[in-house]
Amino acid sequence: MEIRVQSQPFDAGAELNQFTSAQSSVGAIVSFSGIVRNNSAGDLRAMEIEHYPAMTEKAITAIAQQAQDRWDLADVLVIHRFGLLHLDDPIMMVATAARHRVAAFAAAEFLMDYLKSRAPFWKKEHGGHAEWVAAQQSDEDALQRW
Amino acid sequence: MIDVLYFAWVRERIGLPSERVDTQAQTVGELVAELAARDDRYAAAFADVTALRAAVDQELVDDFSAPITGAREVAFFPPMTGG
C-alpha cells in the first residue's frame, strides 16, 4: 500500500506503469485519475485544495485498509494533491491490483467514494469569484452502497 | 487547553487557522456553544452546525455530542470535498 499526499504534479501514466511493474501474479489492475475540470461558469482560473495535514494521510490509510480488509487486493496506490492547481492538472489517482477484476474495480470505486467525502480535503474554485465547492448529497449517499 | 483548528470557509469566517483555547467544555457541542458566543465572526462560522463537521484528535466524529475530555486537538470544517 502506498499513500502519497503532495503538492507537486504527478504523471498518472508513469505512476500506473510503475505500480504495474511492481506487482507479481495479479490478474487485474484498475486505475482512476481525477482531473481539474472547468467550473459551471466556464471561467476557472485555478483550483485551490486545502487539507488537514495531521489527519490526511491517516484518514486515507484507514480507508485503504478498509478496502484491503474487504477485497482480496494485492496492492493499493493513492496519490492526492493539495495546493494551487489549474485546468487539466491531475488532482489525484487511485490504483488497485488484484487477482480478479471484480475486486480491483469494486475496491477502486469504494476508495473513490470514501476519498470524496471522508478524506480531509476542501476544494475552492477561483474564477470570476472564489467559491468553496459544496459537498453533494449524492456523494454522501454513495457511501450507503458499501 | 486544547488546540482548535479551522479549515476552508470556517477558517475564513473566523479569520484564523488555529488557536489554543482554554475551555471546560466536555463535548464538541459545548465547545461550539462557547466559541459561537465569543463574537460575530465565530457566531457566523458556527451559525449552522448542520453545515459543519468536526474531528477530535484527527478522527471524524459522528455528531457533536462526541466527548472532548482529554483531547489535544479539535478541528471544525465543512463536509469534505476530496477526490
Side-chain angles (χ1 to χ4, degrees):
Chain A
M1 184 199 296
E2 186 179 352
I3 312 295
R4 273 159 45 200
V5 180
Q6 61 185 53
S7 60
Q8 310 94 282
F10 63 90
D11 179 336
E15 295 291 348
L16 181 58
N17 285 338
Q18 198 184 327
F19 181 76
T20 303
S21 62
Q23 310 305 324
S24 58
S25 58
V26 299
I29 288 176
V30 165
S31 79
F32 171 86
S33 306
I35 315 284
V36 178
R37 67 165 171 260
N38 216 327
N39 58 8
S40 48
D43 63 358
L44 188 87
R45 285 181 291 107
M47 161 91 70
E48 181 186 343
I49 301 179
E50 182 170 333
H51 77 127
Y52 180 176
M55 179 177 174
T56 314
E57 203 170 315
K58 210 154 80 168
I60 299 175
T61 302
I63 293 167
Q65 189 58 56
Q66 277 188 61
Q68 288 203 311
D69 291 346
R70 203 160 160 162
W71 290 280
D72 186 15
L73 300 177
D75 205 358
V76 173
L77 168 69
V78 179
I79 303 173
H80 204 303
R81 293 177 69 194
F82 60 89
L84 206 60
L85 280 64
H86 297 89
L87 206 60
D88 302 329
D89 280 353
I91 303 175
M92 54 88 60
M93 78 175 281
V94 155
T96 55
R99 285 186 59 79
H100 301 288
R101 82 184 144 83
V102 173
F105 269 118
E109 283 215 86
F110 171 92
L111 286 165
M112 284 313 306
D113 283 348
Y114 273 83
L115 289 169
K116 194 106 202 148
S117 35
R118 292 293 183 272
F121 292 97
W122 298 275
K123 295 194 186 102
K124 189 179 195 177
E125 292 176 343
H126 294 266
H129 55 281
E131 208 171 330
W132 290 100
V133 174
Q136 301 296 316
Q137 184 58 42
S138 55
D139 292 334
E140 195 61 33
D141 294 344
L143 301 183
Q144 301 308 317
R145 64 175 162 149
W146 306 110
Chain B
M1 297 289 273
I2 196 161
D3 286 315
V4 183
L5 282 67
Y6 310 110
F7 294 96
W9 56 254
V10 184
R11 170 180 56 72
E12 290 178 340
R13 282 185 198 174
I14 291 172
L16 282 175
S18 67
E19 60 185 322
R20 279 180 77 69
V21 174
D22 192 359
T23 179
Q24 301 302 315
Q26 305 285 307
T27 65
V28 172
E30 288 176 24
L31 180 60
V32 167
E34 274 184 24
L35 292 169
R38 280 182 166 183
D39 66 27
D40 290 351
R41 293 172 309 151
Y42 287 90
F46 291 108
D48 179 9
V49 291
T50 64
L52 286 177
R53 301 291 179 269
V56 175
D57 287 338
Q58 297 108 37
E59 294 278 350
L60 192 66
V61 300
D62 289 331
D63 61 69
F64 282 15
S65 65
I68 59 167
T69 40
R72 284 190 304 244
E73 188 171 295
V74 177
F76 293 102
F77 39 78
M80 298 161 178
T81 52

